[in-house]
Structures are given as structure tokens and as C-alpha cells.
Amino acid sequence: MTKPSEPIPDPVEAAGDAVFRRPLTTVDVVILTIRAGSLQVLLVQRPQQAGEPFPGRWALPGGFVDVARDRDLQACALRKLAEKTGVDSPYLEQVGSWGSATRDPRGWSTTHVYVALLPDETLALQKGGNAADLRWAPVEGEGVAMPLAFDHAVLLGAALHRVRGKTEYTSLPAHLLPSAFTLGELQHVYELVLGRSLEKKAFRTRMLAGGMLEDLGAQKETGRRPALLYRLREQAGLVYFTRSFEQR
Amino acid sequence: MTKPSEPIPDPVEAAGDAVFRRPLTTVDVVILTIRAGSLQVLLVQRPQQAGEPFPGRWALPGGFVDVARDRDLQACALRKLAEKTGVDSPYLEQVGSWGSATRDPRGWSTTHVYVALLPDETLALQKGGNAADLRWAPVEGEGVAMPLAFDHAVLLGAALHRVRGKTEYTSLPAHLLPSAFTLGELQHVYELVLGRSLEKKAFRTRMLAGGMLEDLGAQKETGRRPALLYRLREQAGLVYFTRSFEQR
DNA sequence: AGAATAGTGTCTCTTAGACACTATTAT
DNA sequence: ATAATAGTGTCTAAGAGACACTATTCT
């Protein structure tokens, strides 16, 4: 790690006006997947050492931006994600940023929150890796059952709100599935994310009309009637539908 | 957090030296209004002094978070807004954050972008205030005609994309109008923001069905047939419609 | 045959788009 | 009367919800 020349006066503080102390800058990642029949979020346990804030509490994976290593905020989020899961190309979206004098006892801090959606299958790698201080927690309502460190309950709530919002009118939940899936599995994922059931015919019509799915011509053997397998067509982002799912 | 066992005693306390140098932290505000028949954005001219980045270029209003004055990021955005316009309670929404090693020549920096929507009328105050280094620029397509400092063209583009997106399915553009307005004026604002015309009957049906408007029982005298005046009903946020406006 | 899941047919309801029509003002 | 803008009536099309129906597999 090369050491940048630090003793040089800060050009910003040298620029005249009041001295602007710099806030702490972190990135936190809300990593979601479908596991064991529910939507789950990856948490890390904070170190037990004295002097650490929230020792032993569960928290979102994240940490300080490393200006020597991270080219930009998204690269920092991808680094955190890869460190915890081994996954390097998930669906990744920025949720927003939170900054205040009080959210971190160590001082004025801002965090940049990203949400990543992973298929469960890609996680086989990670399970062998580290560590007892990592766990998946099922999402219940707007968050998880245990208290979280810092304002992470708020950050998680915002990420879930974003994901649920987009689930109403985009193809987003498809990124929680492996590359080949059936329409039944896709509908099940939508229902898990939204926490309510959807009408089968309307769901299928919408998904097939969206033009985002490619029929793989293969079938999934499930023990009952086999279902057609689809995959997401090659395309940059999400498909947006012009109508939301409606109430109930 | 990064690695549990870091050889440095406390990375935060060490934040002045090589390990976790803190990025610069700024807030930029995209201030939009309807003026002279078009959507316009407020720009400030960067100082001409040598040593300043982008001297003389136009830029979004913004600047460093002042950890001594700003309670949180939104308070910082409101402060910047009030400094430039005198307005203190606009529609204000966070667009996102941008951070990288290269976006500011002075070093690794992050900015937090907010968008504010103002009725033109509230700006009478500001016109008397300062200053020759402030101007309104008409929005053309994804941005403005002149080049902007830093990556502000990208930030402005993202804010416009957000505003246009929400214009398709929320009551957002109403915040660009004074508190009393006619449906014709409201439709005109939607059309200016979207850059395309909307069908009158469909527009009126949607707005009135949304339940967000309150009939003031008064009429606006325009020289032709007077139109009913409405105002936004008291409510926290936006009204979301379950369908987008559709193409053309 | 019965269970279970995959997939379709078809009706109703809501709302956008199109567009012609009426209503109210000023000149 | 004419121009101009405000506001309505009404038809069509698309797609969501409801729900019953058929289809294909297993035991």
C-alpha cells in the first residue's frame, strides 16, 4: 500500500474560508437473497473489543471508504460485497445516503447505502469461506427481528422500501433467482418480496408481454407437471411496466 | 467494517494519515422552477481566483458540509438553498450520491445531490438579494446549454431523470406551482417537464381522481372563460398513481 | 383415480387515449 | 358572431383481477 504524501497542507482547508473538518465516509450494503423460503439479509457482528461502537451488535456489512483502493463509491460497495460473499457481479443499486452529526458516536459521518440482489446458488462459495460473525436474517416486515447497530434499521428499511416499490412495476425480483427459472418460481419470489399473493394469470401475462424473458425450450422437472424454463434476456437494466400491481 | 483484525489501533482515530483518509464531503442542490415558459435550473458561477477548480465555470449551488453547523445532510441542502434563494420549505428530495477519486481535482470527494422544486413566485425575494454570479438557465433535453464545472452535468442529468420519472406517475410537478392553480396550468407544467403534450381529458380525470386537489371555490380570471382554482390538499408527500402516462 | 402444479379462456372493471362536443368569458 | 380557453361525453383499447377451466406429471 503506497503512502500518499500527507504532510502537505490540505488544499481545501488552505483555500481560505473556515476549516471544514471532513465527515467520516462509509458504505453499507444491504445484501438480499431468497433462502429457506424467505427473503433474507446478510448481517455481520460488530467486534466485541472495548472502544468499538455497538460491540457485538449485528450490522449491515460495510465500512470506511478507502481512498487508496476504491476508485468510486460503487467500487467500494462491490469490494465489501466480494469480501463477504465472493460474488462480484450482482444486481447493485444505490439507495441513498445518510449523514448526520449523531448517527455514529465517533463523529459526523455519512454512509452511502447500496442494495445488492443475489441468487442463493451463487453463495455456495461463500459458505465455505469465513466466519462466525456473519449470518443471514429473515426479513420480517420492515426489517429484521434483532436490533441493529447505528441507524442500520433505518437504512435497511429504506432499502426494503425501494426493493418493494420497484417490485410493483419492474422486473427487479428476477435478479434474486438463478439464471434459469420458471414463471411459477418467479411469481413466488415476487410474492415473498411483496408479502402478498398475486393473481396468476395477470402475473404471467405481464411477464410475457414485457419481452424480457427468453424461453429456454427446456423444462424443469419438479415431480409434478414440468414447467417451461426462462431466463432474462441480455439487457442492461430493469424492465419497467407501465402499470403497478394493484391492491389485493 | 473492513477486516476484524486491523494492525492499526483505531482506523478512525488514524483517519488523518494514510490508512483511511477522509474524502471531501459536499452537497449540491438542483434547484428547479418554471420561469418564462420553461423549466429552469439555478446555477452559480465559480470564483475566478487562481487555485480554485473550474474558475468562472457555471455550477450547481452547493459546497462543503460544515460539521459545525449542519445537523445532517438535508439541513445542509436546506442551508445552501436558503443562502441562494431565501426559500426555506420547498419540495426537497435526495437524488443520490456520487463519490470518486477523480471528480474533484482537490482529491477523493463525495457529493450528495438534492433536487428542490420551487414556485416561481417565491423567488421575488431572492431577486433583490445578491448577485451577479447567480443565474437561471433553461433546461434543454438532459441538461443546460453551457458546460458545467466538475461532474455537475451528470448530477443535473440524474436529477432531471428523477423528476421526469416521477412526473409520469406522481403529483410531483404541482410543487413547481404557486399554492393556487388551475388544472390547465398544472397540465402545462407537466407538459413542460415531460417535453411532450398530454391528453386533456385523461389528465383531468387522473388529477381529480387522485384526491389530492382541493377545489378553492374561486376562479381565475384570465381574459377568457375563467377556470376553477385548486390547491394541494394538506398531506406529507406525493400522490402516486398506479399507472404511468403512456407513450404519445 | 387423485393430488399437485402448469398453463389458458373469458368476463368484468378501471383508466388512458382520441376526439368531438358544450360552456363561459372577452372583443 | 368569433376567438379562446374551460370543461364534458363517449367510444375504444389495454391490461389487472377473478375464477373456472384444461393439461401434464407423479403416486
Side-chain angles (χ1 to χ4, degrees):
Chain A
M1 195 176 296
T2 52
K3 194 170 171 185
S5 49
E6 189 50 42
I8 291 173
D10 185 327
V12 173
E13 298 183 359
D17 24 27
V19 174
F20 288 109
R21 278 184 42 238
R22 303 180 181 193
L24 298 168
T25 301
T26 63
V27 166
D28 292 306
V29 190
V30 176
I31 302 171
L32 298 174
T33 199
I34 302 288
R35 271 178 99 240
S38 76
L39 181 65
Q40 306 210 358
V41 58
L42 188 63
L43 300 179
V44 300
Q45 193 166 24
R46 301 219 18 103
Q48 293 284 358
Q49 304 152 34
E52 286 283 347
F54 299 96
R57 274 275 181 103
W58 292 96
L60 297 172
F64 295 102
V65 169
D66 183 341
V67 301
R69 295 170 65 193
D70 297 319
R71 216 178 64 252
D72 56 30
L73 291 172
Q74 173 160 319
C76 180
L78 286 170
R79 177 169 64 81
K80 308 282 180 201
L81 180 74
E83 286 170 3
K84 300 300 178 197
T85 68
V87 173
D88 63 358
S89 61
Y91 177 86
L92 187 70
E93 171 178 333
Q94 194 189 74
V95 175
S97 56
W98 278 257
S100 80
T102 53
R103 59 175 298 279
D104 187 317
R106 294 167 295 189
W108 222 107
S109 84
T110 69
T111 193
H112 304 262
V113 180
Y114 285 77
V115 62
L117 305 189
L118 307 181
D120 189 22
E121 65 170 7
T122 60
L123 295 169
L125 320 163
Q126 173 262 333
K127 281 169 192 160
N130 43 8
D133 64 349
L134 261 190
R135 66 159 291 186
W136 290 97
V139 169
E140 291 164 20
E142 314 291 302
V144 289
M146 67 279 270
L148 297 180
F150 305 103
D151 53 359
H152 286 193
V154 171
L155 311 185
L156 172 58
L160 290 172
H161 189 258
R162 170 75 62 87
V163 166
R164 287 182 176 134
K166 287 203 166 176
T167 297
E168 297 281 356
Y169 61 94
T170 75
S171 59
L172 181 138
H175 295 277
L176 289 165
L177 284 173
S179 60
F181 50 83
T182 69
L183 285 177
E185 290 166 344
L186 185 58
Q187 180 173 351
H188 187 59
V189 169
Y190 270 80
E191 291 174 341
L192 283 175
V193 172
L194 292 176
R196 70 175 198 266
S197 61
L198 298 173
E199 209 284 321
K200 181 167 60 165
K201 184 66 190 298
F203 181 83
R204 300 171 71 95
T205 303
R206 168 183 286 203
M207 293 303 145
L208 293 173
M212 74 212 198
L213 297 181
E214 190 167 6
D215 181 344
L216 288 175
Q219 297 190 324
K220 173 151 191 167
E221 308 297 334
T222 59
R224 300 298 170 195
R225 173 176 173 177
L228 272 176
L229 282 166
Y230 295 86
R231 71 168 175 207
L232 282 176
R233 224 180 263 287
E234 305 280 342
Q235 61 199 344
L238 302 179
V239 172
Y240 286 72
F241 308 117
T242 54
R243 295 174 62 169
S244 257
F245 290 116
E246 275 154 41
Q247 320 318 347
R248 212 101 317 236
Chain B
M1 298 299 304
T2 36
K3 294 163 199 160
S5 57
E6 195 68 52
I8 311 310
D10 180 356
V12 175
E13 290 308 310
D17 54 70
V19 178
F20 289 113
R21 280 178 41 237
R22 304 181 182 192
L24 298 168
T25 302
T26 64
V27 165
D28 292 307
V29 190
V30 175
I31 302 171
L32 298 174
T33 198
I34 301 289
R35 271 179 98 241
S38 75
L39 182 64
Q40 306 209 0
V41 58
L42 188 64
L43 301 178
V44 300
Q45 194 167 24
R46 299 213 30 96
Q48 294 282 2
Q49 305 152 34
E52 285 283 345
F54 300 95
R57 275 275 180 102
W58 292 96
L60 297 173
F64 294 101
V65 169
D66 184 340
V67 301
R69 295 170 65 193
D70 298 319
R71 217 179 62 253
D72 55 32
L73 290 173
Q74 173 158 321
C76 180
L78 286 169
R79 177 170 64 81
K80 308 280 181 202
L81 180 75
E83 285 171 4
K84 300 298 179 197
T85 68
V87 173
D88 63 357
S89 61
Y91 177 87
L92 186 70
E93 171 178 334
Q94 193 189 75
V95 176
S97 55
W98 278 257
S100 80
T102 55
R103 60 175 297 280
D104 187 317
R106 295 168 294 190
W108 222 107
S109 84
T110 70
T111 191
H112 304 262
V113 180
Y114 285 77
V115 61
L117 304 188
L118 307 181
D120 188 23
E121 66 170 7
T122 59
L123 295 169
L125 320 161
Q126 172 262 331
K127 282 169 192 160
N130 45 6
D133 63 350
L134 260 191
R135 66 159 289 189
W136 289 98
V139 168
E140 291 164 20
E142 313 291 304
V144 290
M146 67 280 269
L148 297 181
F150 305 103
D151 54 358
H152 286 193
V154 171
L155 311 187
L156 172 59
L160 290 172
H161 189 259
R162 171 74 61 88
V163 167
R164 287 181 177 137
K166 285 204 168 176
T167 297
E168 297 280 356
Y169 62 94
T170 75
S171 59
L172 181 139
H175 295 277
L176 289 164
L177 284 172
S179 61
F181 52 83
T182 69
L183 285 177
E185 291 166 343
L186 185 58
Q187 181 172 352
H188 188 61
V189 170
Y190 270 79
E191 291 175 340
L192 283 176
V193 171
L194 291 176
R196 70 174 198 266
S197 61
L198 297 173
E199 210 283 322
K200 181 167 59 165
K201 185 66 190 300
F203 182 83
R204 300 171 72 94
T205 303
R206 168 183 287 204
M207 292 304 145
L208 294 173
M212 75 214 198
L213 298 180
E214 191 166 4
D215 181 344
L216 288 175
Q219 297 190 324
K220 173 151 192 167
E221 308 297 334
T222 58
R224 300 298 169 194
R225 173 177 173 176
L228 271 177
L229 282 165
Y230 294 86
R231 72 169 173 205
L232 283 176
R233 222 180 265 289
E234 305 280 344
Q235 61 199 346
L238 301 178
V239 172
Y240 285 73
F241 308 118
T242 55
R243 294 173 64 168
S244 256
F245 290 117
E246 275 153 42
Q247 321 317 348
R248 212 106 316 241

